[in-house]
Amino acid sequence: MPEPAQLYGLICLAFVRHVPLSERCVQCHAPWPCEQVRLAYRLREGF
């Protein structure tokens, strides 16, 4: 798979795994939105 497709797949995975639950991220327990979601959003906007 080409690198951009792999990167986009990882971005989608971050949005699926890092979801809010009572103002905290389910995956990393950081305050919502966690750093992983913020980074994924910035990368997605770059496409």
Side-chain angles (χ1 to χ4, degrees):
M1 201 182 305
E3 189 174 320
Q6 287 177 345
L7 180 59
Y8 197 76
L10 290 174
I11 290 169
C12 293
L13 184 62
F15 286 133
V16 170
R17 298 209 51 198
H18 292 266
V19 294
L21 178 65
S22 67
E23 300 182 14
R24 291 257 182 219
C25 176
V26 171
Q27 184 69 25
C28 62
H29 307 290
W32 183 255
C34 67
E35 188 60 33
Q36 294 296 322
V37 169
R38 290 175 192 227
L39 177 61
Y41 180 78
R42 287 193 304 256
L43 286 171
R44 186 189 71 178
E45 292 301 307
F47 273 100

